[in-house]
Amino acid sequence: MTVLPDESTPPTTSVSTDFLALTEKPIKRRPRIGQIIGMIVVAYFIFVAIVIVLTNENFNWPIVAQYLFDVRIFGGVGVMLQLTLYSMIIGFVLGLLLAVMRMSPNWLIRGVAGAYVWFFRGTPLLVQLLFWGFAGALFPQLMIGIPFVDPWISLDTNLVISLFTAAVLGVGLNEAAYMAEIVRGGILAVPHGQAEASRALGFSTGSTLRHVVLPQAMKVIIPPVGNNVISMLKTTSLVSVIGVSDLLYNAQQIYARNLEQIPLLIVTCFWYILFTTILTYFQSLLEKRFSRGSSAAVQKGVR
C-alpha cells in the first residue's frame, strides 16, 4: 500500500537548509590585483619613511630625548593647556549667548550679534592677537565712568591686560564667533515643534532652551565643538608672536641659544600630537554619549 504525502504540508527538502548554512558562513572576497599592488606600494613608502627618519642624523634624536621633558618645555605645555581651557570657556559661553542673540526677534540685538561674528571671522586671529598685545598703545588707561566727566576708576592698561590676558582674550573672543555659528546650527537642527510643545506645557523661553532644545542640539554641536577645541589647542601657538611663554615660544628660546631648531620643533610637535590625540579620544566618548538615544532608536527601527 502506497502512502501519499499530505498535501497540507509542504515537502521537506534540503535546499532551504543548505541555503541557510551558506548564508551563515562569512563571505570571502577575492582579493583584487589593484588592491594588492596598492598595499605593496604604500607599505614600501612607509618603510622608506621610517628608515629615513631613523637614520637621518640631522633629526638629532639624542637632542630630542634631552629636551622632551625639559622644565622649560613643561612650563610651555602648562601655559598651552591654560590658554586652551580659558579660551574655550570664553568662546563657548559667549558663543552660546551670541547664538541666542542672532535668533532674537529684535533687529538691534540680532544685528549686534551678526556684526560681532562678521568682524571676528573676517579678520585674521594673528592680527587680533597683535591688537590685544598693543592695547596699551591704543588705550593707555582703562576708565570707568560717564563720558566727558572725570572717571570713577582709571587703571593702567598694561597692568590690567597682561600678555597672557591678551592671549586669552584674543583666542577666546575669536573662538566665540565660530562657536556662535556652531551652536546656532545645532539649535536650528532641533524641530520647531519641540519648542512649541514645551511652551504649551508652560515652560518659559529660557527653560525651553535649557531643558528641551539644548539637550537635543548637543548631538549636532558636540562633533564640531570637539574639532574646534583640537584646532584651538594648536592655534595657541600663535600667541608666541606677542611674547607669551607657551610651548612654541619656549622651544624657540631654547634653539635660539643652541641652534638645534629641528630637534626642538620635533619636541613641540610631539606634545601637540599627544594632547590632540587625548582630546580626540574624549571627543569620541562624548559623541557616543550624546548619540546613544538616536543609535538605539535607529537599531530599534531596523529590527
Side-chain angles (χ1 to χ4, degrees):
M1 181 178 179
T2 304
V3 179
L4 296 176
D6 188 3
E7 295 180 356
S8 62
T9 59
T12 58
T13 60
S14 61
V15 177
S16 58
T17 306
D18 295 341
F19 178 75
L20 291 175
L22 289 174
T23 55
E24 291 178 356
K25 294 182 179 180
I27 300 175
K28 295 182 179 180
R29 300 184 181 275
R30 185 176 62 182
R32 299 178 180 178
I33 302 300
Q35 292 180 352
I36 296 175
I37 296 175
M39 291 176 59
I40 294 174
V41 172
V42 171
Y44 169 76
F45 280 109
I46 292 175
F47 174 75
V48 171
I50 294 174
V51 171
I52 292 174
V53 170
L54 294 179
T55 58
N56 191 341
E57 296 180 356
N58 294 324
F59 283 102
N60 210 338
W61 294 108
I63 298 296
V64 174
Q66 177 183 349
Y67 287 100
L68 189 60
F69 302 103
D70 188 88
V71 175
R72 291 163 290 183
I73 297 297
F74 270 139
V77 170
V79 172
M80 174 191 68
L81 295 178
Q82 290 180 48
L83 281 173
T84 304
L85 176 62
Y86 299 153
S87 301
M88 194 61 211
I89 292 174
I90 293 175
F92 187 80
V93 174
L94 184 57
L96 178 60
L97 177 62
L98 289 170
V100 176
M101 290 174 62
R102 289 208 66 187
M103 302 176 67
S104 172
N106 188 298
W107 66 270
L108 180 59
I109 295 176
R110 189 171 62 251
V112 169
Y116 181 98
V117 174
W118 166 77
F119 176 80
F120 281 93
R121 289 202 308 176
T123 54
L125 175 58
L126 182 59
V127 176
Q128 296 174 28
L129 287 171
L130 290 173
F131 263 106
W132 283 108
F134 297 119
L138 187 61
F139 299 102
Q141 298 288 326
L142 292 178
M143 295 176 289
I144 301 176
I146 302 175
F148 309 110
V149 181
D150 291 339
W152 304 330
I153 301 175
S154 179
L155 300 172
D156 186 2
T157 302
N158 291 324
L159 294 178
V160 176
I161 304 179
S162 62
L163 292 178
F164 183 81
T165 305
V168 171
L169 289 174
V171 179
L173 296 180
N174 180 268
E175 180 64 22
Y178 294 92
M179 195 64 64
E181 293 302 289
I182 293 174
V183 175
R184 187 170 71 94
I187 293 175
L188 291 176
V190 179
H192 187 65
Q194 298 287 329
E196 292 180 347
S198 177
R199 293 192 188 96
L201 291 174
F203 283 84
S204 64
T205 303
S207 298
T208 299
L209 180 66
R210 186 169 63 254
H211 297 293
V212 177
V213 177
L214 282 180
Q216 298 181 68
M218 291 302 290
K219 299 175 184 178
V220 180
I221 293 173
I222 286 296
V225 167
N227 292 332
N228 269 29
V229 173
I230 294 171
S231 178
M232 188 168 53
L233 176 72
K234 297 176 292 183
T235 303
T236 56
S237 61
L238 293 176
V239 303
S240 61
V241 299
I242 59 175
V244 178
S245 58
D246 72 320
L247 175 58
L248 180 59
Y249 181 84
N250 287 359
Q252 290 174 331
Q253 294 300 308
I254 295 174
Y255 71 63
R257 295 185 178 91
N258 61 14
L259 303 179
E260 296 288 351
Q261 291 89 347
I262 299 300
L264 267 301
L265 291 176
I266 293 175
V267 170
T268 304
C269 291
F270 169 81
W271 286 107
Y272 279 115
I273 291 175
L274 175 63
F275 283 102
T276 53
T277 304
I278 294 173
L279 289 176
T280 302
Y281 172 73
F282 283 106
Q283 177 190 355
S284 64
L285 293 182
L286 282 175
E287 289 181 6
K288 291 179 181 178
R289 171 66 180 84
F290 283 99
S291 63
R292 188 178 301 168
S294 59
S295 299
V298 171
Q299 292 177 1
K300 184 177 180 180
V302 171
R303 292 175 186 174

